[in-house]
């Protein structure tokens, strides 16, 4: 707390994923042999055809400020992608390209929320939803789930969480951190509740869309009765391994897209020109071109689940998408390991960092105090070594 700073930032938490990644990096630089499984960041390089488009853009002298909401031809590629992959029809005026999906989400919170508006967050939820909402005046309202319901929210729980102040709901499917994927029937059941509350805007974060091991991805906005009040968020960070290129985008109601454009125009302007040109190549091509990464993640998922099942006290569900496992570690709460008191998931994650040299993230940051998140966007060798170290540290 620094009184010279605003209440806004003083009341904000630091991103737990980025904080743990920074800590792991620091320890590594100090010579510790840390295996980082804290960050949701693919370890692949950017696909060659995307790199070539970026190189070409540099050679073609792209250098100027870009249109605030994205290049027209990138918007066309996004429109094509939404139609091809999600059966969604958008016009250019409904699309806004941003500096990462994180900015897309921050724009949405800024333009939709007023002070005291409630934001429904089925928990576990991605770490930044809560602080992005709070900094825009919103009040996060968690809807708890647990491992026995595959971390999915039920229509009854959703209905019970709605109040006259509910303004927005944010969820991801495939979910970061649980990996859960809502089926069409499950999403429809949630939509059946939401249709009775037409003032609630739904933000459907589909950034892990392609990293799905069970089949069809379903977009909430593809239900005709949800289209007008759903914003679809996506980006190239995960599927194209372009985390540092910082391109995200939305498709949604025109009045919301216009508002995001206005907000972004005062805060950052248009996203990076070279990265936008590269994103056109990424999206215009078939997702078949990135299937090799999804296949690799699928193999790693199998491996990590096998290794976790061999560690006493860790209870994991089988994630259907993304690249995280979210084991319940509450078995260890109240115990002392190597003189280290484990009073919650935060202690547990720190214990793993100290005694196993493995960086994970506490589930508390995702709204679930019983779990930790382990990213398996890492080499098989690192996954094997990390799980062996964890097993030893807990034995
Ligand atoms: N949503 C989810 C669920 C995520 O895991 C991430 C990862 N950073 C983001 C949004 C933001 O992605 P980016 O800003 O890299 O596009
Ligand atoms: N989305 C990733 C994660 O959850 C990247 C880090 C971040 O932006 O929070 O680990």
């Amino acid at each position: 707390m620094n009184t010279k700073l605003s209440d806004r930032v003083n009341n904000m938490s630091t991103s737990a994923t980025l904080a743990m990644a920074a800590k792991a990096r620091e320890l590594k630089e100090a010579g510790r042999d840390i295996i980082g499984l804290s960050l949701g960041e693919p370890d692949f390089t950017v696909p060659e055809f995307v790199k070539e488009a970026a190189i070409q853009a540099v050679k073609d002298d792209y250098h100027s400020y870009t249109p605030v909401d994205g290049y027209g031809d990138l918007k066309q590629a996004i429109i094509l992608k939404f139609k091809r992959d999600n059966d969604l029809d958008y016009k250019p005026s409904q699309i806004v390209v941003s500096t990462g999906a994180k900015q897309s989400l921050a724009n949405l919170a800024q333009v939709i929320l007023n002070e005291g508006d409630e934001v429904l967050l089925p928990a576990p939820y991605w770490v930044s939803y809560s602080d992005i909402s709070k900094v825009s005046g919103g009040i996060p309202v968690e809807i708890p789930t647990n491992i026995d319901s595959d971390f999915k929210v039920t229509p009854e729980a959703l209905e019970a969480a709605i109040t006259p102040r509910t303004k927005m709901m944010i969820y991801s499917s495939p979910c970061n951190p649980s990996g859960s994927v809502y089926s069409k029937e499950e999403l429809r059941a949630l939509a059946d509740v939401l249709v009775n509350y037409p003032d609630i805007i739904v933000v459907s974060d589909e950034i892990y869309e392609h990293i799905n091991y069970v089949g069809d991805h379903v977009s909430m906005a593809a239900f005709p009765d949800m289209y007008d009040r759903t914003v679809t968020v996506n980006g190239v960070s995960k599927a194209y391994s372009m985390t540092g290129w910082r391109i995200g985008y939305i498709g949604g109601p025109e009045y919301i897209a216009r508002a995001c454009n206005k907000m972004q125009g005062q805060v950052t302007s248009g996203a990076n020109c070279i990265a936008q040109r590269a994103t056109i190549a990424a999206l215009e091509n078939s997702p078949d071109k990135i299937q090799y990464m999804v296949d690799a993640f699928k193999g790693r998922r199998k491996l990590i689940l096998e290794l976790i099942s061999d560690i006493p006290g860790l209870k994991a569900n089988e994630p259907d998408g993304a690249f995280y496992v979210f084991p319940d570690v509450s078995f260890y709460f109240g115990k002392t390991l190597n003189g280290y008191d484990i009073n919650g998931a935060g202690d547990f994650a720190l214990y793993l960092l100290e005694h196993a040299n493995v960086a994970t993230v506490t589930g508390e940051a995702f709204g679930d105090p019983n779990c930790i998140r382990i990213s398996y966007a890492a080499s098989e060798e690192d996954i094997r070594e990390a799980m062996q170290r964890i097993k030893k540290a807990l034995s």
Side-chain angles (χ1 to χ4, degrees), residues 207-360:
I207 197 158
Y208 294 97
E209 163 187 20
H210 295 303
I211 306 166
N212 177 333
Y213 316 113
V214 291
D216 286 349
H217 172 82
V218 184
S219 294
M220 181 65 96
F223 296 129
D225 54 359
M226 291 301 296
Y227 178 82
D228 281 340
R229 9 97 59 119
T230 300
V231 184
T232 310
V233 176
N234 212 321
V236 288
S237 281
K238 311 295 171 174
Y240 298 88
S241 199
M242 290 168 70
T243 45
W245 295 49
R246 313 303 307 126
I247 297 290
Y249 54 88
I250 61 161
E254 195 171 317
Y255 75 96
I256 294 180
R258 273 207 207 114
C260 290
N261 186 0
K262 180 172 159 190
M263 179 61 61
Q264 194 164 290
Q266 292 285 23
V267 180
T268 56
S269 304
N272 174 285
C273 60
I274 305 299
Q276 287 198 54
R277 303 313 299 166
T279 300
I280 297 176
L283 299 182
E284 274 182 352
N285 277 277
S286 160
D288 291 350
K289 286 210 168 192
I290 49 159
Q291 189 58 37
Y292 67 96
M293 293 194 248
V294 182
D295 293 342
F297 289 133
K298 192 172 180 181
R300 296 170 190 186
R301 176 185 70 148
K302 185 166 177 282
L303 174 68
I304 199 167
L305 286 174
E306 273 167 20
L307 296 171
I308 285 181
S309 69
D310 199 31
I311 303 177
L314 260 56
K315 188 175 153 199
N317 68 330
E318 183 171 308
D320 288 336
F323 32 61
Y324 310 102
V325 266
F326 199 58
D328 184 311
V329 297
S330 57
F331 170 82
Y332 289 98
F333 297 174
K335 296 190 165 57
T336 302
L337 300 168
N338 289 310
Y340 204 99
D341 292 336
I342 309 287
N343 290 317
D347 289 341
F348 189 85
L350 279 179
Y351 175 74
L352 294 186
L353 185 64
E354 288 305 321
H355 286 265
N357 282 334
V358 177
T360 59

Side-chain angles (χ1 to χ4, degrees), residues 40-338:
E41 171 148 76
D43 55 331
F44 293 98
T45 53
V46 174
E48 281 307 314
F49 69 99
V50 179
K51 280 194 215 167
E52 276 161 24
I55 291 164
Q56 193 57 47
V58 174
K59 287 186 178 156
D60 289 345
D61 282 328
Y62 277 91
H63 67 105
S64 317
Y65 284 129
T66 58
V68 172
D69 50 350
Y71 284 126
D73 50 355
L74 173 54
K75 286 185 171 196
Q76 286 302 337
I78 292 169
I79 287 167
L80 179 139
K81 173 258 163 314
F82 273 134
K83 185 69 192 164
R84 178 191 65 209
D85 303 340
N86 313 111
D87 200 22
L88 289 173
D89 288 299
Y90 289 119
K91 297 194 296 271
S93 54
Q94 295 178 276
I95 306 289
V96 179
V97 178
S98 297
T99 301
K102 200 178 257 182
Q103 189 185 22
S104 305
L105 291 160
N107 282 342
L108 289 166
Q110 285 276 306
V111 308
I112 292 168
L113 298 175
N114 278 319
E115 207 63 39
D117 285 341
E118 292 176 358
V119 182
L120 298 179
L121 300 179
Y125 50 81
W126 180 48
V127 59
S128 292
Y129 294 164
S130 154
D131 280 281
I132 281 176
S133 301
K134 279 198 270 183
V135 84
S136 299
I139 301 173
V141 175
E142 296 180 5
I143 314 179
T145 66
N146 58 46
I147 194 163
D148 300 320
S149 60
D150 194 24
F151 297 110
K152 289 179 190 166
V153 75
T154 60
E156 294 74 25
L158 171 60
E159 175 100 51
I162 293 173
T163 76
R165 299 261 16 196
T166 309
K167 188 75 187 289
M168 190 157 113
M169 166 168 147
I170 317 179
Y171 76 97
S172 61
S173 177
C175 173
N176 176 3
S178 69
S180 301
V181 174
Y182 283 89
S183 69
K184 187 171 185 182
E185 293 67 35
E186 287 164 341
L187 272 190
R188 183 62 249 174
L190 298 183
D192 285 342
V193 174
L194 292 163
V195 288
N196 299 318
Y197 303 92
D199 293 335
I200 300 177
I201 291 163
V202 178
V203 175
S204 172
D205 181 345
E206 306 185 9
I207 197 158
Y208 294 97
E209 163 187 20
H210 295 303
I211 306 166
N212 177 333
Y213 316 113
V214 291
D216 286 349
H217 172 82
V218 184
S219 294
M220 181 65 96
F223 296 129
D225 54 359
M226 291 301 296
Y227 178 82
D228 281 340
R229 9 97 59 119
T230 300
V231 184
T232 310
V233 176
N234 212 321
V236 288
S237 281
K238 311 295 171 174
Y240 298 88
S241 199
M242 290 168 70
T243 45
W245 295 49
R246 313 303 307 126
I247 297 290
Y249 54 88
I250 61 161
E254 195 171 317
Y255 75 96
I256 294 180
R258 273 207 207 114
C260 290
N261 186 0
K262 180 172 159 190
M263 179 61 61
Q264 194 164 290
Q266 292 285 23
V267 180
T268 56
S269 304
N272 174 285
C273 60
I274 305 299
Q276 287 198 54
R277 303 313 299 166
T279 300
I280 297 176
L283 299 182
E284 274 182 352
N285 277 277
S286 160
D288 291 350
K289 286 210 168 192
I290 49 159
Q291 189 58 37
Y292 67 96
M293 293 194 248
V294 182
D295 293 342
F297 289 133
K298 192 172 180 181
R300 296 170 190 186
R301 176 185 70 148
K302 185 166 177 282
L303 174 68
I304 199 167
L305 286 174
E306 273 167 20
L307 296 171
I308 285 181
S309 69
D310 199 31
I311 303 177
L314 260 56
K315 188 175 153 199
N317 68 330
E318 183 171 308
D320 288 336
F323 32 61
Y324 310 102
V325 266
F326 199 58
D328 184 311
V329 297
S330 57
F331 170 82
Y332 289 98
F333 297 174
K335 296 190 165 57
T336 302
L337 300 168
N338 289 310

